[in-house]
Amino acid sequence: MNSEMKSPRSVNFLGLIAGVLMIALPFLGPWWIAKVGTGAIEIALSPFDMSISVLGQQIQSDIVALFLLAEAIAMIIAGVFMVLASVAPRSWWSKRLFRFGVMKPFWAVVILIILVVAGAFVVNNILPSFLSNMVSGTGASIQLEVPYLVGTANSVIQAGSQIMITAPINLSLAMSFWVAVAVAVLGIAARINHRKYTKQTDGKV
């Protein structure tokens, strides 16, 4: 018992850093940004916020805003749990708190990528045919080309042989996305590191 009292307090520093960054993630701004033309359409997206601007006018949805706010609160709570579990990794409750939050940044990154890629697939392969059918008989031709995650491309709307509209599209990942990736990697490393504390606790008689 005396030896346990003299032993230094254990801290899972990887989990502590990951937890602090998780608390900060909802406040770092958009992860993915899309721009069509020169200010025609701008989309800024993260798991915690979404901004859509068309010709300078903001488009908002209260339901989506509430859902994203809930995601932000959940991430902050998970970060707080990570911090508490990391500063007392040998506590009996540490494993449960750690398990609640550790994978949230990873899944946030994965889900965002899936949504963006799926959206690009729909725009490239389904939307042009749908729009062309709507304007059939007018001689208009619509060709949409959107990068699947990042990059630049041009979409073309042509009416007859004299009218052609070309819209440049630019997709990019913001620095906050790479911070989220770093947090996800830290979380996985912290989870592996945390096991040594829980094993030592479970092994005590």
Side-chain angles (χ1 to χ4, degrees), residues 29-34 42-52 64 68 111-113 115-116 172-174 176-177:
W31 293 12
W32 178 82
I33 300 171
E42 293 187 6
I43 302 173
L45 180 64
S46 81
F48 321 111
D49 190 25
M50 181 175 65
S51 173
I52 301 176
V64 173
L68 296 177
I111 291 173
L112 180 80
I113 292 174
L115 288 177
V116 171
S172 61
L173 292 170
S176 52
F177 173 84

Side-chain angles (χ1 to χ4, degrees), residues 19 22-23 26 70-84 97 100-101 104:
M22 285 170 63
I23 296 172
E71 289 295 314
I73 294 173
M75 182 65 73
I76 293 172
I77 293 174
V80 172
F81 284 179
M82 283 276 288
V83 170
L84 294 175
L97 294 185
F100 175 83
K104 284 193 178 297

Side-chain angles (χ1 to χ4, degrees), residues 30-167:
W31 293 12
W32 178 82
I33 300 171
K35 295 181 179 180
V36 180
T38 306
I41 300 175
E42 293 187 6
I43 302 173
L45 180 64
S46 81
F48 321 111
D49 190 25
M50 181 175 65
S51 173
I52 301 176
S53 174
V54 179
L55 299 176
Q57 298 295 320
Q58 290 289 330
I59 299 177
Q60 297 179 341
S61 169
D62 292 338
I63 296 177
V64 173
L66 287 173
F67 176 78
L68 296 177
L69 176 60
E71 289 295 314
I73 294 173
M75 182 65 73
I76 293 172
I77 293 174
V80 172
F81 284 179
M82 283 276 288
V83 170
L84 294 175
S86 297
V87 297
R90 300 184 193 278
S91 301
W92 62 268
W93 41 263
S94 174
K95 185 176 181 180
R96 295 180 181 178
L97 294 185
F98 206 86
R99 186 183 301 167
F100 175 83
V102 66
M103 295 302 291
K104 284 193 178 297
F106 172 81
W107 289 116
V109 170
V110 170
I111 291 173
L112 180 80
I113 292 174
I114 290 174
L115 288 177
V116 171
V117 172
F121 177 84
V122 170
V123 171
N124 287 332
N125 298 280
I126 299 176
L127 191 58
S129 299
F130 177 76
L131 294 177
S132 295
N133 290 333
M134 290 183 61
V135 297
S136 60
T138 62
S141 173
I142 300 174
Q143 299 177 4
L144 301 179
E145 183 179 351
V146 176
Y148 275 91
L149 188 61
V150 296
T152 58
N154 289 314
S155 294
V156 178
I157 300 176
Q158 183 171 353
S161 59
Q162 297 181 345
I163 301 176
M164 178 180 293
I165 301 174
T166 301

